[in-house]
Amino acid sequence: MALCGVADTGSHSMDKSITLPPDEIFRNLENAKRFAIDIGGSLTKLAYYSTVQHKVAKVRSFDHSAKVSLQETDGDPLYEISVQEEITARLHFIKFENAYIETCLDFIKDHLVNTETKVIKATGGGAHKFKDLIEKKLKLKVDKEDEMTCLIKGCNFVLKNIPHEAFVYAKHADSEFRFQHTHPDIFPYLLINIGSGVSIVKVEAEDKFERIGGSSIGGGTFWGLGALLTKTKRFDELLQLASKGQHTNVDMLVKDIYGGAYGSLGLTGDLIASSFGKSATTDKEFSKEDMAKSLLHMISNDIGQLACLYAKLHNLTRVYFGGFFIRGHPVTMHTITYSINFFTKGEVQALFLRHEGYLGAIGAFLKGAEEDNPNQYSWGENYAGSSGLMSVSPELNPIQRARSGTFDMLEMDRLERQLVNLPLLQDATSYIPDTVDLTEDALAREYWLYCFEEALDGVVKRAIASQKDQPEAVERAEKFRQKYRHKLQTLRHQPLLSRRRMTWP
Amino acid sequence: MALCGVADTGSHSMDKSITLPPDEIFRNLENAKRFAIDIGGSLTKLAYYSTVQHKVAKVRSFDHSAKVSLQETDGDPLYEISVQEEITARLHFIKFENAYIETCLDFIKDHLVNTETKVIKATGGGAHKFKDLIEKKLKLKVDKEDEMTCLIKGCNFVLKNIPHEAFVYAKHADSEFRFQHTHPDIFPYLLINIGSGVSIVKVEAEDKFERIGGSSIGGGTFWGLGALLTKTKRFDELLQLASKGQHTNVDMLVKDIYGGAYGSLGLTGDLIASSFGKSATTDKEFSKEDMAKSLLHMISNDIGQLACLYAKLHNLTRVYFGGFFIRGHPVTMHTITYSINFFTKGEVQALFLRHEGYLGAIGAFLKGAEEDNPNQYSWGENYAGSSGLMSVSPELNPIQRARSGTFPFDMLEMDRLERQLVNLPLLQDATSYIPDTVDLTEDALAREYWLYCFEEALDGVVKRAIASQKDQPEAVERAEKFRQKYRHKLQTLRHQPFAYGSLTVRSLLDTREHCLNEFNFPDPYSKIKQKENDMALKYYLKVVKSVEELSWEQRQFNLVKGLLAGNVFDWGAKAVSDVLESDPEFGFEQAKQQLQERPWLVDAYNQWIERLKGPPHKCALFFVDNSGIDIILGVFPFIRELLIRGTEVVLASNSGPALNDVTNSELQILTERIAAMDPVIHAALKEDRLALVQNGSSSPCLDLSRLDKVLATVVRERGTDLVIIEGMGRAIHTNYYAMLSCESLKLAVIKNSWLADRLGGKIFSVVFKYEVPSKAQGQH
């Protein structure tokens, strides 16, 4: 009994000024066409397709046909190099808080040149609420798309096109995020979307999915019951409370009843026998933290068990979790992971997605872009234009959070060629291209980050030298230096929260 | 992640005085041995094994060997009746609030005579807490038994031995409780025990079970979260709050998000999308009632879904729910039922158990009694000594609750049956067989009539009981006690028809027998039966001779008519007992005239005759009814013809007395006597073509799924291909719709005008039902 997420949970007290210049966020708007928007309870995700003009170096062979022998070509270059302008397709996805929606719409309107665009695809629970505003501002007709269909389409897209999209979460491991190398053959899988309620969806093919189950005990339950129990109205704060609490003060454990384990049934003493069982008969006051923690365990364990049972019943081993309850929250990813491990005895791993928040917007966009056949191409994440994965839990990483601003971006380039496996791989599903995973190898990571930073000056020099004829190359090279150095710094500070699997070059 | 119940939830504010004299609760303590106790969070369940000494009427043939001819025995009774003391085994289970535990232990100590008892088996979360008290008071060593093992053992026991143990709950139906007729083959099943947490247990055989799952969201969560949200500390009160609330004020529904249904996913608008979803973003205050209701739905739905998933994964269709969260609470039974229906789309039914609260105690007792092999016997619920199922929800039944002054104590007594009971092998489908024709819990009109009818007849029964023991002056007093007890049972049933499982004419009759036995009226009809048998025997040869003179066709009709006329003589039916009481000369020939003329109400006589023109049956099994004219002048001439045709005959009669039904021991004497007069019967007996077996029952009705094991063996060995069931109790009140795998004849005279009217006939209408199964497996 439940649903996809209808509410997002951004923080409401944040500074409403835009911290990044909007033209660095809504890039390439002048060529934009095909818009899609996914409006959740507090976050808006905008998607558009655009084309990017950029320079490419082309090489062309000189005509040597007149010369007879090899010796005669000595001293002449073999081919000539020319710099040309090329146009490639790019998908832009931007996520921001609903509070900015009007400012953003204004900016988009002012920069929107393409007049062929008539429609904006919309999905998410908030799409209805902002429909009039969007239509008024952008003069585009809002065309509503089915939420679940968009979600699944988006999920298929990221799983197919971003090799390190999925990850396993391990709180106490050296590297918190263990990315999975996803392979082109992504079906079948189970998607557990934990929004207000829970939807359990079996996805068998690009256009074949079924909501096989669900539960009304989801993110809304954590939020709603949490608010009633702790008088804390904000989702993030509830999670923060939970991360500080001791559930054993509120829950009745097996050992509270039997004095230890219930061996003959295989139940350990620390197992939760009854969530909130102690508050039934004890008269004492319970701390907000403890109650929030108990609630979190209760809900995560329940969802975990349901997920396992549905996975078993349908014989599925790939189980992805999404929805605002999960969305980058280490606390919930941890409890869900724990629960899945417990119930499947390690047979099934809980998988999370880096771009989980974008799935609806991606899906809605893809619905509107079907004539462009986006699924016929391969797409690649553009690291330069994408924000990284970041912990939104303030408790875990308050500095990172302040720095990250309030906009998050994902850019995907359309690749000219469709990419597939080398048919000679012995086992395509277990193939991992990279030799060393730097997220897991701290020593190696340190060395290579240092090494790349050291080498940066040389790279900049070479870049300038390559365009001696263009005086503004020096300025551009400096911008490159800043951007890349910033990326390296980000990776240094968030080695465990890195936006992707960091590998040796 | 969770467990069996560790907490019970009785109400704490109740008057602590014991409202019944303790000797009416802890009965037969003087012979008690083997104690077991299951102490929950607030209720204690005590179990013990005892023996009951009670009177039985025995018949013994006089020695007629000295007399040479039949004539000489004229005037002497055929057999003598003696009342003897018999000892039978009985299990006692008593449930009371923990508050009474000390008083109860004191009482037990004072009355405990048997000094062989050294140990008391204990289970339940509270056993530890009260260990010292028990050991000090009773001087018995407390021996702890595994909780889950006890629970499962107890569950197996009640499912096997109490036919209407399990029921389906339907809040808005005519009858709230729909009892399932459980059959001896109870495995495999799923037990969902909702205590503080939830345990999901798969039971595959008597000693083979596995906890396949569980959840920490259980009764403790409802209680704990409910207490935090509503500041209401009592479980019962929380349920009461929930029953008044509107969950839609707190829960976010599909339509709250999408404005209506989410059609493409098949989600209706009223479906709960998110439990407590509205309290996440709304600032308003929520009522206690609404929050309690939302919580109840949340937990029940969750358990329901888990139960369904585990049932599907393990391919199980029988799913029983128990634990203190369920225990007789209509509110939780309703929400669990709803949830199961929702998630399985009706494929699985949520089943509940009448004696669910006793499972742990029963199991602990059985663990301690293993050397007595309790599982080798069949046991039967004693209606006289057991409290009925009662709604404990104050909201549902406040009057009942207040009225039942005896409430703090609840009792269950099980009698060990002398014979092991099994299905009749000739049932077409044993699993779908339901003995009773009308379920009075579902048929309000019929219920009203029969309760009235039994109450009306009570005076007569009391009179007869006294008359049967004229030599014992205190019989009057005992009879009066019987009257009070039975009338009280009838009143209970009027208000709670579901108290002992499905209410049926059979259960009303059986309850009366149990109550009569309780007050030492083991066989009030013994002398009447004796007199009638003596009288009827005098006419036997005359009847046989008169039939022999007839043509084949006439003879067959006459035999059937005799069978029917004999069946008019039934003291169990009020109309007949009136006539017999006022005009003892009412005779066989007169009875024939009373019968309805053909065509009868149900008339398959022509088909029967056609069948008789064919080859003889291999073996006929005849479930006989009354003593006297019925058995001697009706049944014997009829089976005599079958024997002559070459058909073997097995006469099945009651093991114990019920009304004027002929018992097995009486029938043996009668048969010998008839054999002495009639060479046909004599030869048949000698050649073992005529056999007498007992049916294992002491009821005027007949449950073909609980018959003596020997009978089942005989039926199988002899290749029985015809079953004859005679009489209102056996062929109308029960088995009217029973489907057999061989030919069957069900015949009765409707001696009750209300029933006749219901069937569309008049009093003394005839039912003659001859059925041949579609595949006719039994025919040779």
Side-chain angles (χ1 to χ4, degrees), chain B residues 56-115:
Chain B
V56 285
K58 294 266 176 185
V59 292
R60 205 184 54 169
S61 189
F62 282 119
D63 190 1
H64 295 281
S65 55
K67 297 174 180 173
V68 188
S69 78
L70 268 177
Q71 281 69 21
E72 283 177 73
T73 67
D74 274 12
D76 285 352
L78 178 65
Y79 54 84
E80 64 174 342
I81 303 164
S82 65
V83 173
Q84 296 175 7
E85 295 286 332
E86 198 184 58
I87 290 173
T88 56
R90 186 175 288 176
L91 298 182
H92 293 261
F93 302 98
I94 301 112
K95 183 162 69 182
F96 51 88
E97 290 185 31
N98 289 354
Y100 298 107
I101 198 163
E102 199 159 348
T103 321
C104 291
L105 291 176
D106 280 334
F107 181 85
I108 294 166
K109 189 191 76 186
D110 291 345
H111 292 77
L112 198 60
V113 183
N114 190 318
T115 50

Side-chain angles (χ1 to χ4, degrees), chain A residues 184-250:
Chain A
D185 185 17
I186 62 168
F187 303 110
Y189 67 87
L190 201 60
L191 178 66
I192 318 284
N193 193 57
I194 316 175
S196 300
V198 181
S199 278
I200 297 173
V201 187
K202 175 181 169 183
V203 186
E204 287 180 283
E206 188 55 45
D207 288 308
K208 194 177 172 201
F209 71 87
E210 189 192 353
R211 185 185 186 277
I212 55 173
S215 163
S216 72
I217 304 182
T221 311
F222 176 71
W223 200 352
L225 266 177
L228 291 172
L229 291 171
T230 68
K231 312 289 170 217
T232 305
K233 278 280 170 193
R234 287 192 39 218
F235 184 79
D236 282 357
E237 277 178 33
L238 282 168
L239 280 181
Q240 209 176 340
L241 283 178
S243 67
K244 293 181 205 149
Q246 280 296 330
H247 76 101
T248 52
N249 293 333
V250 186

Side-chain angles (χ1 to χ4, degrees), chain A residues 214 216 258 262 275 302 305 310, chain B residues 146-147 214 216 275 302 305 310:
Chain A
S216 72
Y258 297 99
Y262 194 149
S275 291
D302 190 51
Q305 174 156 224
Y310 278 107
Chain B
D146 180 74
E147 203 172 324
S216 72
S275 291
D302 190 52
Q305 173 157 224
Y310 279 106

Side-chain angles (χ1 to χ4, degrees), chain A residues 57 76 92 163 166-167 175 191 213 243 298 387 404 494:
Chain A
D76 284 354
H92 291 261
F167 61 89
S175 66
L191 178 66
S243 67
M298 175 182 111
S387 325
S404 74
Q494 300 166 194

Side-chain angles (χ1 to χ4, degrees), chain A residues 1-6 125 144 146-149 196-200 209 211-225 227-229 231 233 250 252-254 257-258 262 264-265 267 271-286 291 295 297-299 301-302 305-306 308-310 312-313 338 342-343, chain B residues 1-6 125 144 146-149 196-200 209 211-225 227-229 231 233 250 252-254 257-258 262 264-265 267 271-286 291 295 297-299 301-302 305-306 308-310 312-313 338 342-343:
Chain A
M1 324 193 138
L3 294 181
C4 359
V6 288
K144 202 136 169 20
D146 181 74
E147 204 172 324
M148 190 59 77
T149 308
S196 300
V198 181
S199 278
I200 297 173
F209 71 87
R211 185 185 186 277
I212 55 173
S215 163
S216 72
I217 304 182
T221 311
F222 176 71
W223 200 352
L225 266 177
L228 291 172
L229 291 171
K231 312 289 170 217
K233 278 280 170 193
V250 186
M252 192 179 277
L253 309 186
V254 167
I257 304 171
Y258 297 99
Y262 194 149
S264 64
L265 295 185
L267 307 175
L271 202 66
I272 305 173
S274 174
S275 291
F276 287 87
K278 280 185 184 151
S279 62
T281 44
T282 319
D283 268 326
K284 68 163 198 169
E285 284 283 306
F286 295 95
M291 290 189 290
L295 191 60
H297 276 309
M298 175 182 111
I299 292 170
N301 287 337
D302 190 51
Q305 174 156 224
L306 288 175
C308 294
L309 289 170
Y310 278 107
K312 263 190 216 164
L313 259 178
Y338 180 89
F342 177 86
F343 286 110
Chain B
M1 327 197 136
L3 296 179
C4 1
V6 288
K144 202 136 171 16
D146 180 74
E147 203 172 324
M148 188 61 76
T149 309
S196 300
V198 182
S199 278
I200 299 173
F209 69 86
R211 184 183 186 276
I212 54 172
S215 161
S216 72
I217 305 182
T221 311
F222 177 71
W223 201 351
L225 267 177
L228 290 172
L229 292 172
K231 313 287 168 216
K233 278 279 169 195
V250 185
M252 191 180 278
L253 309 186
V254 168
I257 304 172
Y258 299 99
Y262 193 150
S264 64
L265 295 184
L267 307 174
L271 201 66
I272 305 174
S274 175
S275 291
F276 287 88
K278 279 183 183 151
S279 62
T281 46
T282 318
D283 269 326
K284 69 165 197 168
E285 284 282 307
F286 295 95
M291 290 188 291
L295 191 60
H297 276 307
M298 177 182 107
I299 293 170
N301 286 337
D302 190 52
Q305 173 157 224
L306 287 175
C308 294
L309 288 170
Y310 279 106
K312 261 191 218 166
L313 259 177
Y338 181 89
F342 177 86
F343 286 108

